[in-house]
């Protein structure tokens, strides 16, 4: 842990003279009967005194030190963290020192919601992003897909208006290291939306080319196909003939086809049928062909692919009927 923030276990509070004025509130027999917690003696001792000072609404330095021990014993306890925040404000403690403290706790408990919530509150109180982007990057060095870390980074960027090329470049770095990092793909999409660049042609061209480079080498990477489809959701897949041509070429040159590629092409054909484009029967035939292929390479969802096949035929029949009724 950082210098000056190390938390050491105290002796039992029941044996300390400076806590002699407090009568601990021990767990009741009913509590132990209903929800039996296998807690050690130190846990029961510390939390019994915590209950007592909470009941008294005591604001003191000793209570703040008590929360240190309780956090070490159970960092997921919401009440301890809320009480600590009340004490921080009332006692006027150094918030930056508290940031260092919570940073150490997060590194030990990276998947704990309460510790991330505490850090966010501190950053809000301080009023500037400080080193939060670097901090989350350090967390991702150990665990690239830490959900709470990504949520925190999103909040920091949005709250302090830090959206920009730096964040896109950061995701590029992560994705070149691990193109299967779905969290990085989601964050990249979030940044483009927040930056209001998602519909800019120049940005779209860059992002599509980035997807082509990765999907062309890793056709079984589901994340990149989802990202590519997300980029085109506004105008539709058929709005980019260059993407269709690229996907068709990839399909024709690939033997061990990933079902993500085939389903991407199926979605294109379904859009063409929906839009009533010329050659409707051809699009239905191709859609059925892709559905049959998907039944073989993705048998777990056979029923879904059969449904898609029936849907393609139904869409085409509706288009024919509509054309007959409105010549």
């Amino acid at each position: 842990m950082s210098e000056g923030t190390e938390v050491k276990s105290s002796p039992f509070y029941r044996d300390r003279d400076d806590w002699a004025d407090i009568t601990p509130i021990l767990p009741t027999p009913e509590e132990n009967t209903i929800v039996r917690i296998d807690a050690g003696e130190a846990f029961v001792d510390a939390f019994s005194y915590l209950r007592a000072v909470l009941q008294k609404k005591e604001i003191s330095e000793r209570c703040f030190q008590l929360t240190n021990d309780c956090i070490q014993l159970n960092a997921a306890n919401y009440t301890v963290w809320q009480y600590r925040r009340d004490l921080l404000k009332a006692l006027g403690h150094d918030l930056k020192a508290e940031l260092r403290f919570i940073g150490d706790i997060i590194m030990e408990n990276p998947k704990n919601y309460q510790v991330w919530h505490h850090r966010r509150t501190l950053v809000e109180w301080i009023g500037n992003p400080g080193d939060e982007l670097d901090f989350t990057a350090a967390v991702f060095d150990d665990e690239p897909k830490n959900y709470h870390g990504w949520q925190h980074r999103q909040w920091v960027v949005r709250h302090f208006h830090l959206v920009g090329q730096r964040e896109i470049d950061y995701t590029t770095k992560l994705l070149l290291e691990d193109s299967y990092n779905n969290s990085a793909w989601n964050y990249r999409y979030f940044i483009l939306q927040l930056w209001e660049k998602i519909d800019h042609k120049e940005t779209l061209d860059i992002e599509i080319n980035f997807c082509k480079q990765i999907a062309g080498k890793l056709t079984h990477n589901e994340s990149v196909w989802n990202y590519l489809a997300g980029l085109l959701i506004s105008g539709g897949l058929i709005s980019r003939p260059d993407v269709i041509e690229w996907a068709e070429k990839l399909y024709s040159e690939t033997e061990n086809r990933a079902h993500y590629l085939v389903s991407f092409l199926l979605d294109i054909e379904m859009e063409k049928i929906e839009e009533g484009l010329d050659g409707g029967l051809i699009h239905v035939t191709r859609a059925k062909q892709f559905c049959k292929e998907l039944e073989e390479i993705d048998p777990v969802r056979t029923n879904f692919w059969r449904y898609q096949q029936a849907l393609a035929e139904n869409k085409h029949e509706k288009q024919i009927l509509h054309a007959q009724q409105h010549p």
Side-chain angles (χ1 to χ4, degrees):
M1 301 181 75
S2 301
E3 184 178 353
T5 61
E6 185 173 359
V7 179
K8 296 182 180 296
S9 297
S10 305
F12 289 129
Y13 285 86
R14 64 175 182 247
D15 298 328
R16 291 176 50 169
D17 292 339
D18 55 337
W19 284 87
D21 61 309
I22 299 296
T23 301
I25 301 177
L26 297 167
T28 65
E30 289 79 10
E31 287 177 287
N32 286 332
T33 300
I34 297 172
V35 183
R36 178 66 178 175
I37 299 175
D38 187 15
E41 193 174 1
F43 181 97
V44 173
D45 177 72
F47 276 87
S48 295
Y49 278 84
L50 178 72
R51 284 182 169 190
V53 294
L54 280 170
Q55 188 176 84
K56 289 182 60 178
K57 299 181 180 179
E58 179 177 329
I59 301 296
S60 65
E61 191 61 38
R62 69 174 180 178
C63 291
F64 187 76
Q65 296 303 318
L66 172 61
T67 63
N68 282 353
D69 283 344
C70 290
I71 286 165
Q72 290 296 308
L73 292 164
N74 180 12
N77 188 299
Y78 171 81
T79 302
V80 176
W81 286 111
Q82 184 57 54
Y83 187 37
R84 186 178 180 89
R85 285 190 286 275
D86 293 340
L87 292 168
L88 277 168
K89 275 195 168 183
L91 299 173
H93 274 217
D94 181 357
L95 296 182
K96 291 187 177 180
E98 184 70 5
L99 263 186
R100 293 192 292 272
F101 170 82
I102 193 60
D104 292 334
I105 299 295
I106 285 176
M107 288 303 183
E108 295 173 1
N109 304 269
K111 295 183 179 180
N112 181 332
Y113 170 79
Q114 299 302 340
V115 298
W116 285 102
H117 176 69
H118 187 68
R119 187 173 185 95
R120 177 186 292 196
T121 302
L122 292 174
V123 175
E124 279 188 299
W125 287 354
I126 292 170
N128 68 71
D131 298 325
E132 291 308 288
L133 297 183
D134 290 337
F135 176 76
T136 54
V139 171
F140 300 145
D141 285 342
D142 289 335
E143 190 178 351
K145 301 177 183 180
N146 184 294
Y147 173 79
H148 299 295
W150 283 111
Q151 288 290 100
H152 186 71
R153 192 177 183 104
Q154 284 190 14
W155 173 79
V156 170
V157 168
R158 183 171 51 241
H159 188 75
F160 294 103
H161 310 290
L162 300 179
V163 65
Q165 190 60 42
R166 166 180 169 159
E167 294 305 287
I168 295 296
D169 292 343
Y170 177 61
T171 62
T172 300
K173 170 184 173 294
L174 292 180
L175 291 169
L176 290 178
E177 293 172 352
D178 177 14
S179 299
Y180 291 89
N181 186 342
N182 192 54
S183 298
W185 285 111
N186 287 338
Y187 183 70
R188 189 181 183 96
Y189 194 84
F190 162 79
I191 291 297
L192 288 177
Q193 283 190 312
L194 191 62
W195 203 5
E196 297 183 349
K197 293 248 183 179
I198 198 75
D199 293 324
H200 289 199
K201 186 180 185 307
E202 182 180 354
T203 301
L204 202 56
D205 288 343
I206 293 172
E207 294 303 303
I208 287 173
N209 286 333
F210 184 59
C211 290
K212 287 179 181 179
Q213 291 175 26
I214 293 178
K217 297 176 182 177
L218 302 168
T219 57
H220 290 267
N221 184 339
E222 180 179 9
S223 296
V224 66
W225 288 107
N226 288 339
Y227 183 77
L228 178 57
L231 291 174
L232 301 175
I233 195 169
S234 178
L237 301 180
I238 60 176
S239 66
R240 292 292 301 238
D242 58 319
V243 174
I244 297 175
E245 182 181 355
W246 165 79
E248 292 283 8
K249 186 173 184 293
L250 189 61
Y251 177 84
S252 64
E253 294 176 350
T254 306
E255 292 184 5
N256 181 24
R257 296 176 182 131
H259 77 263
Y260 310 116
L261 167 60
V262 182
S263 63
F264 186 80
L265 289 169
L266 171 60
D267 289 340
I268 291 171
E269 296 301 329
M270 295 294 279
E271 276 193 21
K272 289 179 178 179
I273 297 169
E274 183 72 32
E275 293 297 320
L277 298 183
D278 292 341
L281 187 56
I282 295 175
H283 301 314
V284 172
T285 301
R286 290 207 77 205
K288 291 168 65 175
Q289 169 197 329
F290 291 138
C291 287
K292 290 292 184 183
E293 185 172 354
L294 285 163
E295 285 184 41
E296 295 180 8
I297 61 179
D298 185 28
V300 172
R301 293 190 290 175
T302 292
N303 289 339
F304 176 73
W305 302 126
R306 289 177 179 172
Y307 166 76
Q308 288 292 92
Q309 180 176 332
L311 186 62
E313 293 172 339
N314 183 259
K315 284 178 180 291
H316 181 54
E317 289 173 359
K318 286 185 177 180
Q319 289 292 343
I320 294 174
L321 182 61
H322 182 269
Q324 291 174 345
Q325 293 175 345
H326 303 86

